[in-house]
Amino acid sequence: MTYYSLNRKAPETTFKDAVIRGLAPDKGLYFPKEISPLPKAFFATIAHKTNHEIAFEAIKQFVGTEIPEPILKSIIEETLNFNFPIINLNDQISILELFHGQTMAFKDVGARFMARCLGFFNRNNNNEVTVLVATSGDTGGAVANGFLGVKGVNVVILYPSGKVSKIQEKQLTTLGKNITAIEVDGVFDDCQDMVKRAFVDTDLTSTMQLTSANSINIARWLPQLFYYLFAYKALKPKYDDIVFCVPSGNYGNICAGMVAQKLGLPVEHFVAANNANDAVVRYMDTKTYNPKPSMATLSNAMDVGNPSNFVRIQELYNNSFEDLKSHLSTFSFSDTETEGAILELFNAHNYIADPHGAIGYLGAKAYLKKNPKAHTVVLETAHPTKFLDVVKRVIQNKVEIPVQIRAIMDKPKSSIKIATYKELKALLLES
Ligand SMILES: *Cc1c(COP(=O)(O)O)cnc(C)c1O
């Protein structure tokens, strides 16, 4: 499969090269040159396929021959080593739980897939690759966990000091080995800016192979399309057309769902639900894209002022505002509304949601107001215990802590504090 840069000033390249580079040399995001719909029979017979078979069929064309089929199959099996249950709240709303993996957020899917692809590409290479990644909360843990112990790969994670939850911080600062956590005095956008600067800093790129593991990397972004297909498989007997409601920050997850739609998945509509960081909501209202610095909210993994993947979404809909508008609705919700939704889900449905999933639920309700016949599927992107303080305070009830989380609670944190890009650069050069 050939990939091109969305800035269109870099040469086209292979899956392998795009995965290793992360970002194209012209700083553009990579995008597949062609997306061929899957055969109609694939969707007609989906009920008889396993999740691993579905994922393999769906991702095959994006990888091409660069990973041999048996290896790609085992990468998929190792990536998808957990379940994706659907909870039916009522005739209008189902919840797709994406948090049953190692770090209890959907990012485990992309991180595990990417780590294994990179490990394969790097298998005979004596030069180490450094994965540099900025996290607003969940990426860090998923990437750290996915890459832990992968040969020939060092991982450096930047996170905004004091702006991730306690458990999120534990997940990325307690692993050691090939994982280094850097605590930045600033917000997520500062971390992301430092990462972007490092990728174009020739002092660094001439001495080391840097790559990213943010959703800008195609190997993290694309496998996220898998569970949209799983949801279709589970709901097909009852609901033909689904509306997916995706709590969105960097817009990688929802954009992967849109790729699934290009593959032929019947999707009635997409809803992107945002917190106060609403650059895309304002764009859809005004046709003017005017990103702002990110603001801290209860749903911190969505505190993104300038969503990187939005350019991919525009490309998918041929850069046509009208086309996009007919496929995507967007809403923004405050922290107070988020708390209200957590409480409502608990009281009315006995369901404990995390703040991100709660925003997805609000998005579904907003969409249903105008489209009462729709069936919406809310993507619950993280386990509620990752945001224990908020959830406990709101529902005034105990939340059971799963084993994955209990295992890291008492481990000592280890991080390096920095405030400037200069400090990051010095650290990378000395390593
Ligand atoms: C990362 C994350 C999001 C946002 O996903 P994007 O792909 O950045 O839009 C939403 N919820 C949780 C729990 C996350 O970790």
Side-chain angles (χ1 to χ4, degrees):
M1 167 63 82
T2 305
Y3 289 82
Y4 62 96
S5 162
L6 288 179
N7 283 354
R8 294 179 166 79
K9 294 196 180 74
E12 294 183 350
T13 194
T14 58
F15 176 75
K16 174 180 173 177
D17 187 57
V19 171
I20 291 172
R21 283 180 190 276
L23 212 56
D26 63 358
K27 301 192 214 175
L29 273 68
Y30 281 116
F31 197 84
K33 198 157 175 202
E34 267 171 71
I35 301 176
S36 315
L38 294 164
K40 288 232 160 64
F42 172 86
F43 294 100
T45 58
I46 199 164
H48 308 297
K49 297 181 201 292
T50 66
N51 281 0
H52 294 162
E53 287 165 350
I54 292 169
F56 175 74
E57 289 301 317
I59 203 76
K60 206 166 58 172
Q61 64 172 295
F62 297 104
V63 177
T65 53
E66 295 166 53
I67 300 178
E69 288 201 354
I71 292 177
L72 183 57
K73 281 183 180 161
S74 64
I75 288 177
I76 286 168
E77 279 164 26
E78 286 171 34
T79 299
L80 301 172
N81 65 345
F82 54 93
N83 294 328
F84 298 82
I86 291 205
I87 315 296
N88 195 231
L89 291 191
N90 54 40
D91 212 28
Q92 293 183 305
I93 306 180
S94 296
I95 295 184
L96 172 63
E97 292 186 344
L98 303 177
F99 57 67
H100 294 273
Q102 270 306 308
T103 71
M104 314 216 83
F106 75 94
K107 293 190 174 79
D108 283 326
V109 175
R112 293 174 74 79
F113 186 81
M114 181 187 161
R116 282 155 183 81
C117 290
L118 204 56
F120 173 74
F121 291 140
N122 214 29
R123 68 199 180 286
N124 299 323
N125 190 348
N126 293 325
N127 299 328
E128 295 203 319
V129 176
T130 300
V131 170
L132 191 60
V133 64
T135 182
S136 57
D138 285 333
T139 297
V143 167
N145 212 284
F147 281 82
L148 183 67
V150 173
K151 204 180 128 257
V153 183
N154 279 318
V155 179
V156 177
I157 299 168
L158 282 72
Y159 71 98
S161 182
K163 297 191 177 60
V164 303
S165 83
K166 251 185 241 144
I167 286 165
Q168 288 175 329
E169 188 173 43
K170 286 279 185 186
Q171 286 182 328
L172 57 101
T173 58
T174 58
L175 292 170
K177 289 192 188 158
N178 57 335
I179 314 293
T180 306
I182 300 200
E183 193 173 345
V184 176
D185 184 12
V187 294
F188 168 69
D189 293 338
D190 298 317
C191 302
Q192 198 165 41
D193 285 346
M194 285 191 198
V195 168
K196 283 187 179 162
R197 231 173 121 181
F199 283 123
V200 293
D201 187 333
T202 46
D203 293 345
L204 291 173
T205 54
S206 61
T207 56
M208 60 202 304
Q209 178 67 58
L210 281 181
T211 191
S212 95
N214 283 100
S215 53
I216 54 173
N217 195 302
I218 52 166
R220 251 216 52 204
W221 166 51
L222 287 169
Q224 299 175 147
L225 66 85
F226 295 159
Y227 39 74
Y228 291 87
L229 301 169
F230 303 162
Y232 174 72
K233 170 184 157 183
L235 291 171
K236 188 171 175 275
K238 251 181 128 175
Y239 308 103
D240 266 344
D241 278 322
I242 302 173
V243 177
F244 284 106
C245 301
V246 188
S248 294
N250 233 340
Y251 277 72
N253 197 9
I254 194 167
C255 185
M258 291 165 169
V259 174
Q261 187 184 35
K262 288 268 154 169
L263 291 177
L265 178 71
V267 178
E268 185 178 308
H269 201 70
F270 287 98
V271 174
N274 286 174
N275 58 29
N277 297 282
D278 61 351
V280 177
V281 182
R282 284 181 286 112
Y283 171 76
M284 297 302 283
D285 286 344
T286 62
K287 247 181 159 169
T288 311
Y289 189 67
N290 179 23
K292 289 185 184 163
S294 61
M295 279 174 285
T297 73
L298 293 180
S299 45
N300 65 26
M302 310 200 300
D303 293 349
V304 181
N306 186 8
S308 314
N309 282 290
F310 190 54
V311 287
R312 280 186 172 139
I313 292 183
Q314 290 178 302
E315 186 78 0
L316 272 169
Y317 296 111
N318 307 309
N319 294 294
S320 153
F321 183 82
E322 301 312 322
D323 198 9
L324 177 57
K325 191 109 193 162
S326 69
H327 287 91
L328 175 71
S329 298
T330 53
F331 302 98
S332 150
F333 302 99
S334 68
D335 278 352
T336 312
E337 289 171 306
T338 307
E339 291 179 350
I342 294 174
L343 192 61
E344 179 178 315
L345 276 163
F346 184 65
N347 287 338
H349 301 285
N350 200 23
Y351 189 84
I352 303 179
D354 96 295
H356 305 79
I359 286 184
Y361 170 74
L362 289 169
K365 290 217 321 181
Y367 182 81
L368 284 163
K369 251 188 209 153
K370 287 196 183 143
N371 306 274
K373 292 215 176 81
H375 189 76
T376 58
V377 174
V378 176
L379 274 58
E380 172 50 305
T381 44
H383 191 280
T385 48
K386 290 195 88 170
F387 306 90
L388 199 57
D389 297 351
V390 182
V391 174
K392 253 165 86 175
R393 173 168 54 76
V394 172
I395 66 170
Q396 296 285 318
N397 228 291
K398 267 206 207 131
V399 185
E400 197 178 328
I401 308 208
V403 281
Q404 290 100 311
I405 306 273
R406 254 181 283 144
I408 52 147
M409 292 283 245
D410 299 323
K411 287 198 185 165
K413 156 184 164 183
S414 160
S415 70
I416 302 172
K417 288 196 176 170
I418 66 163
T420 62
Y421 176 71
K422 240 174 116 179
E423 290 169 88
L424 173 67
K425 184 168 171 175
L427 270 170
L428 289 171
L429 283 173
E430 103 203 0
S431 70

